[in-house]
Amino acid sequence: MGRGRQKAKHTKIARELKSYSPDVNFSALESELGHPSSDDQYVDKWADMYADEDEDELEKA
């Protein structure tokens, strides 16, 4: 294929992709990615697993 035909083909494909807009279900995408939809993202899930270093020092004193 010559350069002119190749460039024309790429231009045609680029135009098709530019005008293509699929329907996206954002709620399904959010659940698939595992993004929390509540304020649980600010809760430290490991906080109760280990004692704080400051509490250990207070108990020794």
Side-chain angles (χ1 to χ4, degrees), residues 1 3 9 11-12 15 24 36-37 39 44 49-50 52 55 57 60:
M1 208 184 315
R3 175 68 183 131
K9 185 175 181 180
T11 304
K12 178 184 174 188
R15 285 186 183 140
V24 179
S37 57
D39 291 336
D44 187 5
M49 190 171 206
Y50 301 104
D52 291 337
E55 292 176 2
E57 292 176 5
K60 291 177 184 177

Side-chain angles (χ1 to χ4, degrees), residues 4-31:
R5 290 180 63 194
Q6 184 180 10
K7 184 177 179 187
K9 185 175 181 180
H10 285 273
T11 304
K12 178 184 174 188
I13 292 171
R15 285 186 183 140
E16 289 174 357
L17 290 174
K18 186 176 180 182
S19 64
Y20 176 71
S21 60
D23 294 332
V24 179
N25 185 350
F26 289 106
S27 60
L29 180 62
E30 182 180 14
S31 65

Side-chain angles (χ1 to χ4, degrees), residues 30 34-45:
E30 182 180 14
H35 185 272
S37 57
S38 64
D39 291 336
D40 293 339
Q41 63 184 349
Y42 299 111
V43 176
D44 187 5
K45 62 182 178 181

